[in-house]
Amino acid sequence: MKKVLQDLTKEELSALVEGLGEKKFRAGQIFLGLMQGKRIDELPIPSSLKARLLETYENEPVKIAETLVSKDGTKKFLFALADGNLIEGVLMKYVYGNTQCVSTQVGCRMGCKFCASTLGGRVRDLTSGEILSQILVVNRAEGGTLKARAVTNVVLMGSGEPFDNYENVVRFLRHVTAEGGICISARNISLSTCGLVREMKRFSEEGIPLNLTVSLHATCDEERARTMPIANKYKIPEILDACAGYFEKTGRRYIFEYTLISGENADETHALALAKLLKGRPCHVNLIRLNEVKERSLKAAAERDAQRFLEVLEGQGISATLRRSMGSDIAGACGQLRYSRIFPDGKIP
Ligand code: SAH
């Protein structure tokens, strides 16, 4: 595979262009074009320079291969990478703007039992430019520009564990928030982790005040380990400590994702235990009913049980929201679309 030009910062592009013996202002033209979601062959530069760049760099590292539109307006994108790997993303439309969910790895090796992204394991990490390009091409396809962006918010909740690809994800975050580029503020970005405590602590020192989100899905380690293998490595108290550390450094309250699974974690006793665990912490709980994955046997909690869970949390003074499940008619859950395209017969290899 060739290299990804979108991996480079504006300064790195300048060095590259100068190294090729070209005039400095070309770097600005290249940067602007790339940020507009353009391919190298479309950049407003001389064809000789295009040809030289194309010797080393991918023309189109991330390409929209398929777009599915849900009844609720949610769009699901299947992206093809230059090496033929597929990843996916979602664009959710809200009154305050459009939120794009991006992938950070091809597949995932965290092994959560409810998640389709883990079905084939981790194939490879995405480069920072491949993560960024998902946003650039969708912003363009949706008619957005750098001034009037069609993508206003970003969540790192697609396939992959962001902190299992730490360096590239942090590089991506620096690029996506940088002035002069697509420039999405850290406040409008959420990063979701299954709770890699070591990286959570490291990230607290990066000075990127985004919305740190942790997938909890259980109230004690034994139950958590039933669906999330990572629970064998890091315990809930360590996760809570790391969250507190993030709050101390950034002043940002943190968020817990809690997927409601019938017979697993969705009873009133679980709601009370969760409230007890989180009481007094500067956090918010996002509840979502399991998006059922056909290759997995887990079932979603009933709507009324989810409602009851929310009421119990709120009654205990915990800030919580029950999220609408969006795009379920278009394989909205993590990894489902990619998986259905790689293994159309639904068989796990
Ligand atoms: N690896 C990261 C981010 C990717 S998953 C993490 O674990 O947080 C994004 C969120 O979707 C996580 O909270 C994950 O637990 C949740 N999720 C995965 N599969 C799901 C499903 N089938 N139904 C509901 N939520 C799911």
Side-chain angles (χ1 to χ4, degrees), residues 203-216:
F203 189 69
S204 301
E205 307 293 329
E206 301 281 359
I208 306 175
L210 49 65
N211 306 301
L212 183 65
T213 305
V214 179
S215 301
L216 200 56

Side-chain angles (χ1 to χ4, degrees), residues 279-315:
K279 206 156 213 163
R281 293 179 178 273
C283 68
H284 180 82
V285 177
N286 269 335
L287 300 171
I288 185 160
R289 290 168 59 224
L290 178 77
N291 224 326
E292 289 175 12
V293 176
K294 72 176 189 311
E295 293 82 7
R296 305 287 205 197
S297 55
L298 297 169
K299 294 279 169 251
E303 183 69 53
R304 64 175 182 286
D305 293 340
Q307 204 57 49
R308 179 81 192 121
F309 201 99
L310 174 68
E311 284 163 17
V312 173
L313 285 185
E314 286 179 334

Side-chain angles (χ1 to χ4, degrees), residues 105 107-113 115 117-118 121-122 160-165 193-196 227-231 296:
Q105 294 177 315
C108 183
R109 58 175 178 161
M110 295 297 129
C112 299
K113 295 273 190 299
C115 181
S117 296
T118 68
R122 169 187 164 284
E161 165 51 46
F163 283 160
D164 189 36
N165 183 16
T193 175
C194 63
L196 300 188
T227 53
M228 301 182 73
I230 194 66
R296 305 287 205 197

Side-chain angles (χ1 to χ4, degrees), residues 146-158:
L146 294 182
K147 285 213 175 72
R149 279 178 273 115
V151 179
T152 54
N153 299 63
V154 172
V155 295
L156 281 74
M157 290 193 190

Side-chain angles (χ1 to χ4, degrees), residues 328-343:
S328 48
D329 53 331
I330 50 165
C334 293
Q336 285 184 355
L337 180 61
R338 163 178 175 260
Y339 193 74
S340 69
R341 292 298 180 269
I342 309 178
F343 310 116

